Amino acid sequence: MNAPDPASGVPREDAPDALLAVLLGESGSLTPVQIAGAAEDTVRVRFVVDSGAVHDGLAMVAEALAPTVRVDFTDLDACRRAVAGADAVTTFVDGLCPLAALLSGTPGLWGRKDLQRRVLHGAGVSRVRSAALRDEASLRRFAAQAGRPFVVKPADGVSGRDVWLIHDEPDLDRFLRETATRTADGVVLPTGMFAEQYVTGGPAPAPHLADYVSVELFVTGGRTEAAFVTDRLLPERPCRETGLVLPTSLDPQDQAAVTACATRALRALDTPDGAYHVEAKPRAGHPDIVEVNGRLGGYITRLVRYGTGTDLARTALDAVLSRPVDLGTTWHRAVLVLLFPAPPGAARITAAPTRRELARLPGVLAVDQVAGVGRPVDWRAGAAGTVATVWIGADDHDALRARLADAVALLGERFAYDDSAGRALRDDIWWTRIATTRTST
């Protein structure tokens, strides 16, 4: 039913009649402001915020934008009451996808990347073998059976947190030394860790790009109605993401192949209508899945807005509500977000550039953050350990690459670090590789 006009009490014909409950949390791929802006005049939004959160700043922002309910996210019955009457329940926060699925009545495998991998392998969507890990024996058994390299990560991991790439015996020993606990029964691993084979993708379209991409898919009526591919910047060791680039440089055939593979993955996982972020490795004849996420990809909406002017948040909300979606992305410039990482051995920042230095570089659209001197850093934090976040635009991919090289060179030269023993650390392997790829080869 349409909402009543506040003056007359009579339902307005132009008022949105769909109610969407959105679970909010930190580090969502859409902010409350983006959600509320996209929903204006098209859908009523009810924000649901965890009353047990340490900080209530998010709830205060939400309450200024739309009706907001504070509820204990560990109390499932209370959560159900909070979303009662909603036509759909969704979230744009990785860690809340399992709860949103339960409240939607479509429990899936969000937060269980180990089980996802088994389902994808069983359905023939992925050839990657995997195994749950409990102790050193199970780890070494997987290494012997699957071969190297392989990845070890948490089944409920987000944003590249605590992802290990094991190439050889020293890597395996280092992983055990830094994560395992020695007990009377042997060497025990943290709960929820699993291993999977590392897949190498095909040759990247350019030397500053990774061998994997991500695909944003918008599913409505049980069908993928819209999708597009995003390139990824060359990862830092062991396998940390360092940025995203749009539009993709993949040729149309490879774009179609990875999109079809991602669509099959969603079908295998029996996902409901909504927006999804799937990472995949293009490979000749048979792309493979890196992982499947139950929400729109982080940074994607802002990249699309910078490059096309399109509000991707509106598309995502339409998909969640099973409405027709219209992507409408016509690119008027190439754009990227740089997530500049500290090198693997760094423990503390001892020198850093200023935000103003970065902002003055050609093509820089925005500088979200630059970490200061004294901040501790740890590669195991994944994307959360990024020391600078910079948005860059250009007329084409060659110009964008040159501007990326300039930004990376400045950051690499101006940042300095100590290791955990307090010794000066100089490790420029990653950023110098990026900085020397200014033009096409």
Side-chain angles (χ1 to χ4, degrees), residues 20-30 35 48 73 88-101 103-104 110 274-276 293-297 316-317 320:
L20 179 64
V22 183
L23 309 186
L24 296 182
E26 298 298 333
S27 302
S29 56
L30 288 180
I35 296 167
V48 185
F73 278 2
V89 181
T90 194
T91 187
F92 298 96
V93 180
D94 262 328
L96 297 179
C97 286
L99 177 58
L103 298 176
S104 298
W110 312 122
Y276 297 93
N293 298 278
R295 45 79 189 159
L296 190 66
L317 299 190
V320 170

PDB file of all heavy atoms in Angstrom, residues 20-30 35 48 73 88-101 103-104 110 274-276 293-297 316-317 320:
ATOM      1  N   LEU A  20      12.239  -1.879   2.226  1.00  0.00           N
ATOM      2  CA  LEU A  20      13.495  -2.629   2.232  1.00  0.00           C
ATOM      3  C   LEU A  20      14.188  -2.435   3.567  1.00  0.00           C
ATOM      4  O   LEU A  20      14.469  -1.304   3.971  1.00  0.00           O
ATOM      5  CB  LEU A  20      14.400  -2.147   1.099  1.00  0.00           C
ATOM      6  CG  LEU A  20      15.776  -2.802   0.968  1.00  0.00           C
ATOM      7  CD1 LEU A  20      15.643  -4.284   0.652  1.00  0.00           C
ATOM      8  CD2 LEU A  20      16.608  -2.104  -0.098  1.00  0.00           C
ATOM      9  N   ALA A  21      14.461  -3.538   4.263  1.00  0.00           N
ATOM     10  CA  ALA A  21      15.225  -3.494   5.505  1.00  0.00           C
ATOM     11  C   ALA A  21      16.696  -3.716   5.177  1.00  0.00           C
ATOM     12  O   ALA A  21      17.037  -4.700   4.505  1.00  0.00           O
ATOM     13  CB  ALA A  21      14.735  -4.554   6.480  1.00  0.00           C
ATOM     14  N   VAL A  22      17.552  -2.818   5.625  1.00  0.00           N
ATOM     15  CA  VAL A  22      18.975  -2.881   5.310  1.00  0.00           C
ATOM     16  C   VAL A  22      19.770  -2.984   6.606  1.00  0.00           C
ATOM     17  O   VAL A  22      19.709  -2.073   7.448  1.00  0.00           O
ATOM     18  CB  VAL A  22      19.440  -1.648   4.520  1.00  0.00           C
ATOM     19  CG1 VAL A  22      20.910  -1.781   4.146  1.00  0.00           C
ATOM     20  CG2 VAL A  22      18.585  -1.452   3.271  1.00  0.00           C
ATOM     21  N   LEU A  23      20.511  -4.080   6.767  1.00  0.00           N
ATOM     22  CA  LEU A  23      21.377  -4.245   7.933  1.00  0.00           C
ATOM     23  C   LEU A  23      22.652  -3.446   7.712  1.00  0.00           C
ATOM     24  O   LEU A  23      23.340  -3.626   6.702  1.00  0.00           O
ATOM     25  CB  LEU A  23      21.725  -5.722   8.138  1.00  0.00           C
ATOM     26  CG  LEU A  23      20.574  -6.737   8.173  1.00  0.00           C
ATOM     27  CD1 LEU A  23      21.115  -8.113   8.535  1.00  0.00           C
ATOM     28  CD2 LEU A  23      19.492  -6.306   9.147  1.00  0.00           C
ATOM     29  N   LEU A  24      22.971  -2.558   8.644  1.00  0.00           N
ATOM     30  CA  LEU A  24      24.143  -1.703   8.523  1.00  0.00           C
ATOM     31  C   LEU A  24      25.273  -2.177   9.421  1.00  0.00           C
ATOM     32  O   LEU A  24      25.044  -2.742  10.489  1.00  0.00           O
ATOM     33  CB  LEU A  24      23.799  -0.261   8.901  1.00  0.00           C
ATOM     34  CG  LEU A  24      22.797   0.486   8.020  1.00  0.00           C
ATOM     35  CD1 LEU A  24      22.629   1.911   8.539  1.00  0.00           C
ATOM     36  CD2 LEU A  24      23.240   0.504   6.562  1.00  0.00           C
ATOM     37  N   GLY A  25      26.492  -1.928   8.975  1.00  0.00           N
ATOM     38  CA  GLY A  25      27.685  -2.229   9.750  1.00  0.00           C
ATOM     39  C   GLY A  25      28.847  -1.441   9.191  1.00  0.00           C
ATOM     40  O   GLY A  25      28.727  -0.765   8.153  1.00  0.00           O
ATOM     41  N   GLU A  26      29.980  -1.519   9.857  1.00  0.00           N
ATOM     42  CA  GLU A  26      31.151  -0.800   9.387  1.00  0.00           C
ATOM     43  C   GLU A  26      31.671  -1.396   8.086  1.00  0.00           C
ATOM     44  O   GLU A  26      31.530  -2.588   7.834  1.00  0.00           O
ATOM     45  CB  GLU A  26      32.250  -0.841  10.459  1.00  0.00           C
ATOM     46  CG  GLU A  26      31.863  -0.171  11.771  1.00  0.00           C
ATOM     47  CD  GLU A  26      31.569   1.316  11.628  1.00  0.00           C
ATOM     48  OE1 GLU A  26      32.133   1.944  10.704  1.00  0.00           O
ATOM     49  OE2 GLU A  26      30.788   1.841  12.437  1.00  0.00           O
ATOM     50  N   SER A  27      32.290  -0.561   7.265  1.00  0.00           N
ATOM     51  CA  SER A  27      32.951  -0.982   6.020  1.00  0.00           C
ATOM     52  C   SER A  27      31.996  -1.624   5.023  1.00  0.00           C
ATOM     53  O   SER A  27      32.347  -2.605   4.355  1.00  0.00           O
ATOM     54  CB  SER A  27      34.105  -1.947   6.335  1.00  0.00           C
ATOM     55  OG  SER A  27      35.037  -1.354   7.203  1.00  0.00           O
ATOM     56  N   GLY A  28      30.799  -1.085   4.912  1.00  0.00           N
ATOM     57  CA  GLY A  28      29.874  -1.577   3.906  1.00  0.00           C
ATOM     58  C   GLY A  28      30.252  -1.073   2.523  1.00  0.00           C
ATOM     59  O   GLY A  28      30.892  -0.028   2.369  1.00  0.00           O
ATOM     60  N   SER A  29      29.863  -1.811   1.485  1.00  0.00           N
ATOM     61  CA  SER A  29      30.166  -1.379   0.122  1.00  0.00           C
ATOM     62  C   SER A  29      29.246  -0.268  -0.340  1.00  0.00           C
ATOM     63  O   SER A  29      29.496   0.367  -1.372  1.00  0.00           O
ATOM     64  CB  SER A  29      30.091  -2.568  -0.842  1.00  0.00           C
ATOM     65  OG  SER A  29      28.836  -3.212  -0.774  1.00  0.00           O
ATOM     66  N   LEU A  30      28.162  -0.008   0.393  1.00  0.00           N
ATOM     67  CA  LEU A  30      27.338   1.184   0.212  1.00  0.00           C
ATOM     68  C   LEU A  30      27.171   1.846   1.576  1.00  0.00           C
ATOM     69  O   LEU A  30      26.935   1.168   2.572  1.00  0.00           O
ATOM     70  CB  LEU A  30      25.957   0.844  -0.353  1.00  0.00           C
ATOM     71  CG  LEU A  30      25.849   0.411  -1.817  1.00  0.00           C
ATOM     72  CD1 LEU A  30      24.394   0.124  -2.173  1.00  0.00           C
ATOM     73  CD2 LEU A  30      26.423   1.463  -2.748  1.00  0.00           C
ATOM     74  N   ILE A  35      22.685   4.664   0.185  1.00  0.00           N
ATOM     75  CA  ILE A  35      21.461   3.854   0.169  1.00  0.00           C
ATOM     76  C   ILE A  35      20.234   4.742   0.216  1.00  0.00           C
ATOM     77  O   ILE A  35      19.283   4.583  -0.565  1.00  0.00           O
ATOM     78  CB  ILE A  35      21.459   2.853   1.346  1.00  0.00           C
ATOM     79  CG1 ILE A  35      22.608   1.849   1.192  1.00  0.00           C
ATOM     80  CG2 ILE A  35      20.118   2.122   1.440  1.00  0.00           C
ATOM     81  CD1 ILE A  35      22.885   1.038   2.438  1.00  0.00           C
ATOM     82  N   VAL A  48      18.643  -1.117   9.971  1.00  0.00           N
ATOM     83  CA  VAL A  48      18.733  -1.931  11.183  1.00  0.00           C
ATOM     84  C   VAL A  48      20.199  -1.953  11.608  1.00  0.00           C
ATOM     85  O   VAL A  48      21.072  -2.335  10.826  1.00  0.00           O
ATOM     86  CB  VAL A  48      18.223  -3.365  10.941  1.00  0.00           C
ATOM     87  CG1 VAL A  48      18.223  -4.156  12.249  1.00  0.00           C
ATOM     88  CG2 VAL A  48      16.818  -3.345  10.335  1.00  0.00           C
ATOM     89  N   PHE A  73      22.230  -7.882  17.262  1.00  0.00           N
ATOM     90  CA  PHE A  73      22.355  -8.778  16.117  1.00  0.00           C
ATOM     91  C   PHE A  73      22.584 -10.236  16.539  1.00  0.00           C
ATOM     92  O   PHE A  73      22.511 -11.127  15.693  1.00  0.00           O
ATOM     93  CB  PHE A  73      23.490  -8.324  15.197  1.00  0.00           C
ATOM     94  CG  PHE A  73      23.096  -7.209  14.244  1.00  0.00           C
ATOM     95  CD1 PHE A  73      21.824  -6.651  14.279  1.00  0.00           C
ATOM     96  CD2 PHE A  73      23.995  -6.712  13.316  1.00  0.00           C
ATOM     97  CE1 PHE A  73      21.454  -5.636  13.416  1.00  0.00           C
ATOM     98  CE2 PHE A  73      23.643  -5.693  12.443  1.00  0.00           C
ATOM     99  CZ  PHE A  73      22.371  -5.150  12.503  1.00  0.00           C
ATOM    100  N   ALA A  88      11.835  -7.051   1.523  1.00  0.00           N
ATOM    101  CA  ALA A  88      13.121  -7.723   1.333  1.00  0.00           C
ATOM    102  C   ALA A  88      14.077  -7.244   2.422  1.00  0.00           C
ATOM    103  O   ALA A  88      13.916  -6.164   2.983  1.00  0.00           O
ATOM    104  CB  ALA A  88      13.699  -7.424  -0.049  1.00  0.00           C
ATOM    105  N   VAL A  89      15.052  -8.092   2.714  1.00  0.00           N
ATOM    106  CA  VAL A  89      16.097  -7.767   3.685  1.00  0.00           C
ATOM    107  C   VAL A  89      17.434  -7.927   2.983  1.00  0.00           C
ATOM    108  O   VAL A  89      17.663  -8.926   2.289  1.00  0.00           O
ATOM    109  CB  VAL A  89      16.044  -8.701   4.920  1.00  0.00           C
ATOM    110  CG1 VAL A  89      17.136  -8.317   5.917  1.00  0.00           C
ATOM    111  CG2 VAL A  89      14.672  -8.658   5.565  1.00  0.00           C
ATOM    112  N   THR A  90      18.308  -6.949   3.154  1.00  0.00           N
ATOM    113  CA  THR A  90      19.613  -7.055   2.501  1.00  0.00           C
ATOM    114  C   THR A  90      20.665  -6.376   3.355  1.00  0.00           C
ATOM    115  O   THR A  90      20.378  -5.735   4.371  1.00  0.00           O
ATOM    116  CB  THR A  90      19.570  -6.421   1.094  1.00  0.00           C
ATOM    117  OG1 THR A  90      20.728  -6.810   0.368  1.00  0.00           O
ATOM    118  CG2 THR A  90      19.532  -4.892   1.173  1.00  0.00           C
ATOM    119  N   THR A  91      21.907  -6.515   2.939  1.00  0.00           N
ATOM    120  CA  THR A  91      23.026  -5.821   3.556  1.00  0.00           C
ATOM    121  C   THR A  91      24.118  -5.625   2.513  1.00  0.00           C
ATOM    122  O   THR A  91      24.145  -6.332   1.490  1.00  0.00           O
ATOM    123  CB  THR A  91      23.579  -6.592   4.763  1.00  0.00           C
ATOM    124  OG1 THR A  91      24.560  -5.785   5.430  1.00  0.00           O
ATOM    125  CG2 THR A  91      24.239  -7.906   4.316  1.00  0.00           C
ATOM    126  N   PHE A  92      24.989  -4.681   2.770  1.00  0.00           N
ATOM    127  CA  PHE A  92      26.147  -4.459   1.900  1.00  0.00           C
ATOM    128  C   PHE A  92      27.438  -4.609   2.697  1.00  0.00           C
ATOM    129  O   PHE A  92      28.467  -4.068   2.337  1.00  0.00           O
ATOM    130  CB  PHE A  92      26.037  -3.082   1.240  1.00  0.00           C
ATOM    131  CG  PHE A  92      24.819  -2.967   0.364  1.00  0.00           C
ATOM    132  CD1 PHE A  92      23.650  -2.396   0.833  1.00  0.00           C
ATOM    133  CD2 PHE A  92      24.835  -3.484  -0.924  1.00  0.00           C
ATOM    134  CE1 PHE A  92      22.525  -2.330   0.039  1.00  0.00           C
ATOM    135  CE2 PHE A  92      23.709  -3.420  -1.730  1.00  0.00           C
ATOM    136  CZ  PHE A  92      22.545  -2.838  -1.254  1.00  0.00           C
ATOM    137  N   VAL A  93      27.339  -5.390   3.788  1.00  0.00           N
ATOM    138  CA  VAL A  93      28.467  -5.648   4.683  1.00  0.00           C
ATOM    139  C   VAL A  93      28.760  -7.148   4.677  1.00  0.00           C
ATOM    140  O   VAL A  93      27.859  -7.952   4.959  1.00  0.00           O
ATOM    141  CB  VAL A  93      28.155  -5.182   6.117  1.00  0.00           C
ATOM    142  CG1 VAL A  93      29.341  -5.451   7.049  1.00  0.00           C
ATOM    143  CG2 VAL A  93      27.788  -3.709   6.130  1.00  0.00           C
ATOM    144  N   ASP A  94      29.997  -7.514   4.348  1.00  0.00           N
ATOM    145  CA  ASP A  94      30.364  -8.932   4.264  1.00  0.00           C
ATOM    146  C   ASP A  94      29.914  -9.733   5.474  1.00  0.00           C
ATOM    147  O   ASP A  94      29.264 -10.765   5.358  1.00  0.00           O
ATOM    148  CB  ASP A  94      31.891  -9.066   4.126  1.00  0.00           C
ATOM    149  CG  ASP A  94      32.321  -9.268   2.688  1.00  0.00           C
ATOM    150  OD1 ASP A  94      31.563  -9.875   1.917  1.00  0.00           O
ATOM    151  OD2 ASP A  94      33.409  -8.804   2.336  1.00  0.00           O
ATOM    152  N   GLY A  95      30.295  -9.253   6.657  1.00  0.00           N
ATOM    153  CA  GLY A  95      30.042 -10.029   7.864  1.00  0.00           C
ATOM    154  C   GLY A  95      28.580 -10.180   8.220  1.00  0.00           C
ATOM    155  O   GLY A  95      28.233 -11.034   9.049  1.00  0.00           O
ATOM    156  N   LEU A  96      27.706  -9.370   7.623  1.00  0.00           N
ATOM    157  CA  LEU A  96      26.279  -9.438   7.928  1.00  0.00           C
ATOM    158  C   LEU A  96      25.489 -10.215   6.880  1.00  0.00           C
ATOM    159  O   LEU A  96      24.278 -10.404   7.030  1.00  0.00           O
ATOM    160  CB  LEU A  96      25.706  -8.024   8.063  1.00  0.00           C
ATOM    161  CG  LEU A  96      26.284  -7.181   9.205  1.00  0.00           C
ATOM    162  CD1 LEU A  96      25.639  -5.797   9.216  1.00  0.00           C
ATOM    163  CD2 LEU A  96      26.074  -7.877  10.550  1.00  0.00           C
ATOM    164  N   CYS A  97      26.151 -10.683   5.825  1.00  0.00           N
ATOM    165  CA  CYS A  97      25.441 -11.456   4.794  1.00  0.00           C
ATOM    166  C   CYS A  97      24.775 -12.712   5.345  1.00  0.00           C
ATOM    167  O   CYS A  97      23.640 -13.026   4.952  1.00  0.00           O
ATOM    168  CB  CYS A  97      26.393 -11.811   3.649  1.00  0.00           C
ATOM    169  SG  CYS A  97      26.790 -10.397   2.584  1.00  0.00           S
ATOM    170  N   PRO A  98      25.422 -13.470   6.256  1.00  0.00           N
ATOM    171  CA  PRO A  98      24.729 -14.648   6.810  1.00  0.00           C
ATOM    172  C   PRO A  98      23.450 -14.281   7.553  1.00  0.00           C
ATOM    173  O   PRO A  98      22.427 -14.964   7.418  1.00  0.00           O
ATOM    174  CB  PRO A  98      25.776 -15.252   7.759  1.00  0.00           C
ATOM    175  CG  PRO A  98      27.090 -14.781   7.241  1.00  0.00           C
ATOM    176  CD  PRO A  98      26.823 -13.406   6.715  1.00  0.00           C
ATOM    177  N   LEU A  99      23.474 -13.206   8.336  1.00  0.00           N
ATOM    178  CA  LEU A  99      22.284 -12.794   9.073  1.00  0.00           C
ATOM    179  C   LEU A  99      21.196 -12.307   8.123  1.00  0.00           C
ATOM    180  O   LEU A  99      20.023 -12.661   8.284  1.00  0.00           O
ATOM    181  CB  LEU A  99      22.651 -11.695  10.072  1.00  0.00           C
ATOM    182  CG  LEU A  99      21.490 -11.106  10.886  1.00  0.00           C
ATOM    183  CD1 LEU A  99      20.777 -12.199  11.680  1.00  0.00           C
ATOM    184  CD2 LEU A  99      21.998 -10.004  11.817  1.00  0.00           C
ATOM    185  N   ALA A 100      21.559 -11.530   7.123  1.00  0.00           N
ATOM    186  CA  ALA A 100      20.567 -11.054   6.155  1.00  0.00           C
ATOM    187  C   ALA A 100      19.907 -12.219   5.431  1.00  0.00           C
ATOM    188  O   ALA A 100      18.697 -12.202   5.185  1.00  0.00           O
ATOM    189  CB  ALA A 100      21.228 -10.106   5.150  1.00  0.00           C
ATOM    190  N   ALA A 101      20.696 -13.238   5.104  1.00  0.00           N
ATOM    191  CA  ALA A 101      20.131 -14.411   4.427  1.00  0.00           C
ATOM    192  C   ALA A 101      19.147 -15.146   5.333  1.00  0.00           C
ATOM    193  O   ALA A 101      18.067 -15.572   4.887  1.00  0.00           O
ATOM    194  CB  ALA A 101      21.257 -15.345   3.993  1.00  0.00           C
ATOM    195  N   LEU A 103      17.363 -13.867   7.788  1.00  0.00           N
ATOM    196  CA  LEU A 103      16.166 -13.041   7.946  1.00  0.00           C
ATOM    197  C   LEU A 103      15.333 -12.998   6.671  1.00  0.00           C
ATOM    198  O   LEU A 103      14.126 -12.747   6.721  1.00  0.00           O
ATOM    199  CB  LEU A 103      16.564 -11.630   8.362  1.00  0.00           C
ATOM    200  CG  LEU A 103      17.285 -11.521   9.712  1.00  0.00           C
ATOM    201  CD1 LEU A 103      17.724 -10.080   9.967  1.00  0.00           C
ATOM    202  CD2 LEU A 103      16.390 -12.014  10.842  1.00  0.00           C
ATOM    203  N   SER A 104      15.964 -13.241   5.536  1.00  0.00           N
ATOM    204  CA  SER A 104      15.248 -13.279   4.251  1.00  0.00           C
ATOM    205  C   SER A 104      14.598 -14.630   3.997  1.00  0.00           C
ATOM    206  O   SER A 104      13.836 -14.780   3.036  1.00  0.00           O
ATOM    207  CB  SER A 104      16.216 -12.971   3.100  1.00  0.00           C
ATOM    208  OG  SER A 104      16.768 -11.685   3.219  1.00  0.00           O
ATOM    209  N   TRP A 110      27.047 -17.843   3.038  1.00  0.00           N
ATOM    210  CA  TRP A 110      27.858 -16.663   3.311  1.00  0.00           C
ATOM    211  C   TRP A 110      28.563 -16.845   4.644  1.00  0.00           C
ATOM    212  O   TRP A 110      27.990 -17.319   5.612  1.00  0.00           O
ATOM    213  CB  TRP A 110      26.991 -15.405   3.325  1.00  0.00           C
ATOM    214  CG  TRP A 110      26.077 -15.327   2.137  1.00  0.00           C
ATOM    215  CD1 TRP A 110      24.721 -15.230   2.148  1.00  0.00           C
ATOM    216  CD2 TRP A 110      26.466 -15.354   0.748  1.00  0.00           C
ATOM    217  NE1 TRP A 110      24.241 -15.189   0.866  1.00  0.00           N
ATOM    218  CE2 TRP A 110      25.280 -15.267  -0.013  1.00  0.00           C
ATOM    219  CE3 TRP A 110      27.690 -15.441   0.090  1.00  0.00           C
ATOM    220  CZ2 TRP A 110      25.286 -15.257  -1.394  1.00  0.00           C
ATOM    221  CZ3 TRP A 110      27.703 -15.442  -1.290  1.00  0.00           C
ATOM    222  CH2 TRP A 110      26.520 -15.346  -2.016  1.00  0.00           C
ATOM    223  N   GLY A 274      19.364 -10.041  -6.162  1.00  0.00           N
ATOM    224  CA  GLY A 274      20.211  -9.086  -5.464  1.00  0.00           C
ATOM    225  C   GLY A 274      21.446  -8.750  -6.267  1.00  0.00           C
ATOM    226  O   GLY A 274      21.576  -9.117  -7.442  1.00  0.00           O
ATOM    227  N   ALA A 275      22.376  -8.032  -5.630  1.00  0.00           N
ATOM    228  CA  ALA A 275      23.640  -7.645  -6.254  1.00  0.00           C
ATOM    229  C   ALA A 275      24.760  -8.492  -5.664  1.00  0.00           C
ATOM    230  O   ALA A 275      24.833  -8.671  -4.439  1.00  0.00           O
ATOM    231  CB  ALA A 275      23.913  -6.163  -6.008  1.00  0.00           C
ATOM    232  N   TYR A 276      25.658  -8.991  -6.524  1.00  0.00           N
ATOM    233  CA  TYR A 276      26.715  -9.905  -6.081  1.00  0.00           C
ATOM    234  C   TYR A 276      28.059  -9.502  -6.676  1.00  0.00           C
ATOM    235  O   TYR A 276      28.130  -8.922  -7.762  1.00  0.00           O
ATOM    236  CB  TYR A 276      26.369 -11.345  -6.479  1.00  0.00           C
ATOM    237  CG  TYR A 276      25.115 -11.839  -5.819  1.00  0.00           C
ATOM    238  CD1 TYR A 276      23.885 -11.726  -6.454  1.00  0.00           C
ATOM    239  CD2 TYR A 276      25.161 -12.380  -4.539  1.00  0.00           C
ATOM    240  CE1 TYR A 276      22.720 -12.144  -5.832  1.00  0.00           C
ATOM    241  CE2 TYR A 276      24.002 -12.805  -3.914  1.00  0.00           C
ATOM    242  CZ  TYR A 276      22.788 -12.684  -4.557  1.00  0.00           C
ATOM    243  OH  TYR A 276      21.641 -13.096  -3.931  1.00  0.00           O
ATOM    244  N   ASN A 293      30.828 -13.302  -3.241  1.00  0.00           N
ATOM    245  CA  ASN A 293      30.410 -12.462  -2.125  1.00  0.00           C
ATOM    246  C   ASN A 293      28.950 -12.066  -2.280  1.00  0.00           C
ATOM    247  O   ASN A 293      28.496 -11.743  -3.384  1.00  0.00           O
ATOM    248  CB  ASN A 293      31.273 -11.204  -2.053  1.00  0.00           C
ATOM    249  CG  ASN A 293      32.734 -11.539  -1.809  1.00  0.00           C
ATOM    250  OD1 ASN A 293      33.145 -11.767  -0.682  1.00  0.00           O
ATOM    251  ND2 ASN A 293      33.530 -11.584  -2.868  1.00  0.00           N
ATOM    252  N   GLY A 294      28.227 -12.036  -1.163  1.00  0.00           N
ATOM    253  CA  GLY A 294      26.790 -11.820  -1.204  1.00  0.00           C
ATOM    254  C   GLY A 294      26.365 -10.372  -1.180  1.00  0.00           C
ATOM    255  O   GLY A 294      25.292 -10.061  -0.661  1.00  0.00           O
ATOM    256  N   ARG A 295      27.193  -9.490  -1.701  1.00  0.00           N
ATOM    257  CA  ARG A 295      26.855  -8.065  -1.739  1.00  0.00           C
ATOM    258  C   ARG A 295      27.620  -7.398  -2.866  1.00  0.00           C
ATOM    259  O   ARG A 295      28.515  -7.992  -3.464  1.00  0.00           O
ATOM    260  CB  ARG A 295      27.163  -7.397  -0.391  1.00  0.00           C
ATOM    261  CG  ARG A 295      28.509  -7.768   0.235  1.00  0.00           C
ATOM    262  CD  ARG A 295      29.671  -7.040  -0.354  1.00  0.00           C
ATOM    263  NE  ARG A 295      30.967  -7.540   0.083  1.00  0.00           N
ATOM    264  CZ  ARG A 295      32.089  -7.345  -0.576  1.00  0.00           C
ATOM    265  NH1 ARG A 295      32.079  -6.699  -1.713  1.00  0.00           N
ATOM    266  NH2 ARG A 295      33.241  -7.804  -0.131  1.00  0.00           N
ATOM    267  N   LEU A 296      27.246  -6.167  -3.160  1.00  0.00           N
ATOM    268  CA  LEU A 296      27.941  -5.365  -4.157  1.00  0.00           C
ATOM    269  C   LEU A 296      29.392  -5.174  -3.730  1.00  0.00           C
ATOM    270  O   LEU A 296      29.695  -5.053  -2.546  1.00  0.00           O
ATOM    271  CB  LEU A 296      27.244  -4.010  -4.267  1.00  0.00           C
ATOM    272  CG  LEU A 296      27.629  -3.076  -5.405  1.00  0.00           C
ATOM    273  CD1 LEU A 296      27.227  -3.670  -6.741  1.00  0.00           C
ATOM    274  CD2 LEU A 296      26.964  -1.725  -5.193  1.00  0.00           C
ATOM    275  N   GLY A 297      30.302  -5.149  -4.686  1.00  0.00           N
ATOM    276  CA  GLY A 297      31.710  -5.012  -4.372  1.00  0.00           C
ATOM    277  C   GLY A 297      32.061  -3.662  -3.762  1.00  0.00           C
ATOM    278  O   GLY A 297      31.477  -2.629  -4.112  1.00  0.00           O
ATOM    279  N   ALA A 316      21.443  -1.662  -7.543  1.00  0.00           N
ATOM    280  CA  ALA A 316      21.520  -2.722  -6.535  1.00  0.00           C
ATOM    281  C   ALA A 316      20.211  -2.863  -5.767  1.00  0.00           C
ATOM    282  O   ALA A 316      19.736  -3.981  -5.537  1.00  0.00           O
ATOM    283  CB  ALA A 316      22.675  -2.434  -5.580  1.00  0.00           C
ATOM    284  N   LEU A 317      19.613  -1.749  -5.367  1.00  0.00           N
ATOM    285  CA  LEU A 317      18.344  -1.810  -4.638  1.00  0.00           C
ATOM    286  C   LEU A 317      17.241  -2.396  -5.508  1.00  0.00           C
ATOM    287  O   LEU A 317      16.406  -3.182  -5.034  1.00  0.00           O
ATOM    288  CB  LEU A 317      17.950  -0.423  -4.134  1.00  0.00           C
ATOM    289  CG  LEU A 317      18.893   0.267  -3.152  1.00  0.00           C
ATOM    290  CD1 LEU A 317      18.226   1.512  -2.574  1.00  0.00           C
ATOM    291  CD2 LEU A 317      19.338  -0.660  -2.045  1.00  0.00           C
ATOM    292  N   VAL A 320      17.634  -6.209  -5.552  1.00  0.00           N
ATOM    293  CA  VAL A 320      17.204  -6.831  -4.296  1.00  0.00           C
ATOM    294  C   VAL A 320      15.689  -6.954  -4.249  1.00  0.00           C
ATOM    295  O   VAL A 320      15.135  -7.948  -3.749  1.00  0.00           O
ATOM    296  CB  VAL A 320      17.718  -6.016  -3.092  1.00  0.00           C
ATOM    297  CG1 VAL A 320      17.083  -6.507  -1.801  1.00  0.00           C
ATOM    298  CG2 VAL A 320      19.239  -6.106  -2.996  1.00  0.00           C
TER     299      VAL A 320
END
